[in-house]
């Protein structure tokens, strides 16, 4: 397992790896030591060796692999490379995203031109601007002598103030009218004594209600059927199948004969005994 502690670079005390400064001596700790060590190996001799061995393509492959890793992590990387050219600088772009539309390709060419211009500005500096010739200074005009000040006009004497008019005498106030005496209040009339209330008459006892005589039940009237016909004038032939007594009344279960005129048929049903003739 990787260690989580290390020694302080100044006092040698044991501290955690993530500490930026030592809690004992307060000295700042060096960071990214391995990265700085790897950078120190990249020198001019290393570059000349890569060019002689024609191993530049390996460097490009490593850069494309790194961009692909960034894309897999959810980033959108783009690497701009500039190279000196006869007319200035030439820029190249390494981008793992595919450019399909024409607008994307135009935007990518614009980025190349801007980066090439930036490299040219850094290498050559701003273009010198032509200096404009200085205009000859015009001789100063002689100052005109100041005009003598005119004497001030004498002040006019003030006019005497007009005498104030005497105030008009105030009119004497009229005496107030005497207030009329208030009218004496009339004495209140004596209240008459209330009449004594008469005693309530005793209420007579209610007579007991007589029980109502039970009314005889109404005889059910036969309802007119929807499937009756008017050929038999209300008289139909039937055969008695069986009989019963329901609620003290006698009923027959009959089988109806079909109509002799229209041939209409009816279902078997119960009818009261009084309806049979």
């Amino acid at each position: 397992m990787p260690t989580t502690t290390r020694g302080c670079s100044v006092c040698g005390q044991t501290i955690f790896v993530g500490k930026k400064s030592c809690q004992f001596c307060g000295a700042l700790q060096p960071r990214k030591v391995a990265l700085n060590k790897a950078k120190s190996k990249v020198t001019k001799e290393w570059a000349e060796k890569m060019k002689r061995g024609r191993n530049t393509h390996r460097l490009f492959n490593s850069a494309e692999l790194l961009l692909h890793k960034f894309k897999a992590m959810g980033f959108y990387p783009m690497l701009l490379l500039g190279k000196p050219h006869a007319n200035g600088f030439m820029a190249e772009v390494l981008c793992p995203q595919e450019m399909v539309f024409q607008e994307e390709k135009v935007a990518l060419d614009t980025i190349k031109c801007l980066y090439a211009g930036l490299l040219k500005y850094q290498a050559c500096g701003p273009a010198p601007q032509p200096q404009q010739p200085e205009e000859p200074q015009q001789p100063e005009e002689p100052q005109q002598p100041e005009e003598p000040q005119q004497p001030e006009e004498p002040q006019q004497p003030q006019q005497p103030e007009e005498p104030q008019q005497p105030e008009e005498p105030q009119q004497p106030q009229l005496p107030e009218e005497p207030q009329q005496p208030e009218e004496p209040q009339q004495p209140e009339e004596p209240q008459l004594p209330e009449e004594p209330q008469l005693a309530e008459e005793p209420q007579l006892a209610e007579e007991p209600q007589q029980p109502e005589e039970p009314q005889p039940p109404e005889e059910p009237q036969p309802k007119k059927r929807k499937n009756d016909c008017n050929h038999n004038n209300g008289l139909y032939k039937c055969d008695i199948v069986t009989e019963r007594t329901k609620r003290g009344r006698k009923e027959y279960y009959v089988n109806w004969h079909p109509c002799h005129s229209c041939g209409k048929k009816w279902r078997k049903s119960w009818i009261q005994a009084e309806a049979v003739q």
Side-chain angles (χ1 to χ4, degrees), residues 102-114:
Q102 184 65 26
E103 291 81 0
E104 296 174 347
K105 296 179 180 179
V106 172
L108 196 61
D109 294 338
T110 306
I111 293 173
K112 291 180 182 179
C113 295
L114 291 175

Side-chain angles (χ1 to χ4, degrees), residues 158-178:
Q158 297 181 358
Q159 296 181 1
E161 297 179 357
E162 296 180 357
Q164 297 181 359
Q165 296 181 2
E167 297 179 356
E168 296 181 358
Q170 297 180 359
Q171 296 181 0
Q173 297 180 358
L174 297 177
E176 297 179 358
E177 296 181 358

Side-chain angles (χ1 to χ4, degrees), residues 31-258:
R31 303 188 64 190
K32 298 182 180 180
V33 178
L35 179 60
N36 295 330
K37 187 177 180 180
K39 285 182 179 180
S40 63
K41 294 180 180 179
V42 181
T43 57
K44 292 183 179 180
E45 291 80 6
W46 175 86
E48 292 177 358
K49 185 178 180 181
M50 289 286 291
K51 290 179 182 179
R52 286 197 304 268
R54 298 180 180 180
N55 294 325
T56 311
H57 64 279
R58 293 183 180 180
L59 192 61
F60 277 92
N61 293 340
S62 300
E64 290 183 1
L65 179 61
L66 183 61
L67 294 176
H68 183 72
K69 290 180 180 180
F70 273 112
K71 182 180 178 182
M73 292 294 294
F75 295 94
Y76 295 89
M78 178 181 290
L79 181 60
L80 296 172
L81 300 175
K83 187 177 181 180
H85 196 259
N87 297 328
F89 286 89
M90 182 178 62
E92 296 181 5
V93 176
L94 296 180
C95 183
Q97 290 84 11
E98 295 182 0
M99 303 298 173
V100 180
F101 299 101
Q102 184 65 26
E103 291 81 0
E104 296 174 347
K105 296 179 180 179
V106 172
L108 196 61
D109 294 338
T110 306
I111 293 173
K112 291 180 182 179
C113 295
L114 291 175
Y115 187 63
L118 178 62
L119 295 177
K120 185 177 180 181
Y121 181 83
Q122 289 179 350
C124 303
Q129 296 181 358
Q131 296 182 359
Q132 296 181 359
E134 296 181 357
E135 296 180 358
Q137 297 182 0
Q138 297 180 0
E140 297 181 357
E141 296 180 358
Q143 296 182 357
Q144 297 180 0
E146 297 180 355
E147 296 181 357
Q149 297 181 358
Q150 297 180 1
E152 296 180 356
E153 296 180 357
Q155 297 182 358
Q156 297 180 1
Q158 297 181 358
Q159 296 181 1
E161 297 179 357
E162 296 180 357
Q164 297 181 359
Q165 296 181 2
E167 297 179 356
E168 296 181 358
Q170 297 180 359
Q171 296 181 0
Q173 297 180 358
L174 297 177
E176 297 179 358
E177 296 181 358
Q179 297 181 359
Q180 296 181 1
E182 297 180 357
E183 296 180 357
Q185 297 180 359
Q186 296 181 1
E188 297 180 356
E189 297 180 357
Q191 296 181 0
L192 298 176
E194 296 180 357
E195 296 180 358
Q197 297 181 358
L198 298 176
E200 296 181 357
E201 296 179 358
Q203 296 181 359
L204 298 176
E206 296 180 357
E207 295 180 358
Q209 296 181 0
Q210 296 181 358
E212 297 179 357
E213 295 179 359
Q215 296 180 0
E218 297 179 357
E219 296 181 358
Q221 297 180 1
K223 296 182 181 178
K224 187 178 180 181
R225 299 181 179 180
K226 295 182 181 179
N227 54 358
D228 290 347
C229 63
N230 299 325
H231 298 98
N232 298 326
N233 296 326
L235 299 176
Y236 303 94
K237 294 180 180 181
C238 61
D239 296 334
I240 297 173
V241 180
T242 183
E243 61 181 14
R244 70 179 180 182
T245 302
K246 185 178 181 181
R247 296 180 182 177
R249 294 189 177 184
K250 194 173 184 181
E251 294 180 354
Y252 294 118
Y253 188 65
V254 297
N255 183 15
W256 299 97
H257 291 191

